[in-house]
Amino acid sequence: MAATKPVRRSVTLTPQIAKQVDSIAKRRRLSDNRVLVDLIEQGIEAQQRKEKALFALAQRFRASKDPEEVKRLGDELGRFVFGE
């Protein structure tokens, strides 16, 4: 497999986020850039897990024949999508 060339991006962080990134980098003895890449990767993975959980819940909702379970799963779907 051919090596992929890194893509350079520029982001603007709020002072609070920049301070947190600096703190993590110092604590973990990593560069700010490495910390940002790690955090982005973790965020993408978390988003993918959330989407899988939503699709699994929707599948259970569609497949359910029990009215009580349909209501419970519907409520759960609503909280998932719209928050508490």
Side-chain angles (χ1 to χ4, degrees):
M1 180 191 251
T4 58
K5 184 177 177 183
V7 177
R8 187 165 184 81
R9 300 284 178 164
S10 176
V11 297
T12 302
L13 305 174
T14 63
Q16 181 183 8
I17 297 294
K19 188 174 181 180
Q20 289 176 312
V21 169
D22 289 342
S23 176
I24 293 168
K26 186 174 182 180
R27 188 172 59 247
R28 292 174 54 192
R29 295 189 174 128
L30 296 171
S31 69
D32 289 0
N33 189 67
R34 182 72 246 166
V35 169
L36 288 170
V37 170
D38 287 348
L39 290 171
I40 291 167
E41 287 173 346
Q42 290 171 14
I44 290 170
E45 290 169 4
Q47 183 64 33
Q48 290 171 339
R49 284 191 304 271
K50 185 177 177 181
E51 288 175 7
K52 283 182 183 179
L54 175 61
F55 289 130
L57 182 58
Q59 181 64 29
R60 287 177 38 216
F61 176 76
R62 285 192 305 266
S64 181
K65 303 292 184 218
D66 178 16
E68 286 185 28
E69 184 180 34
V70 168
K71 180 176 179 356
R72 183 182 59 76
L73 291 173
D75 290 345
E76 196 173 332
L77 269 171
R79 283 191 303 277
F80 203 104
V81 173
F82 301 110
E84 302 268 347

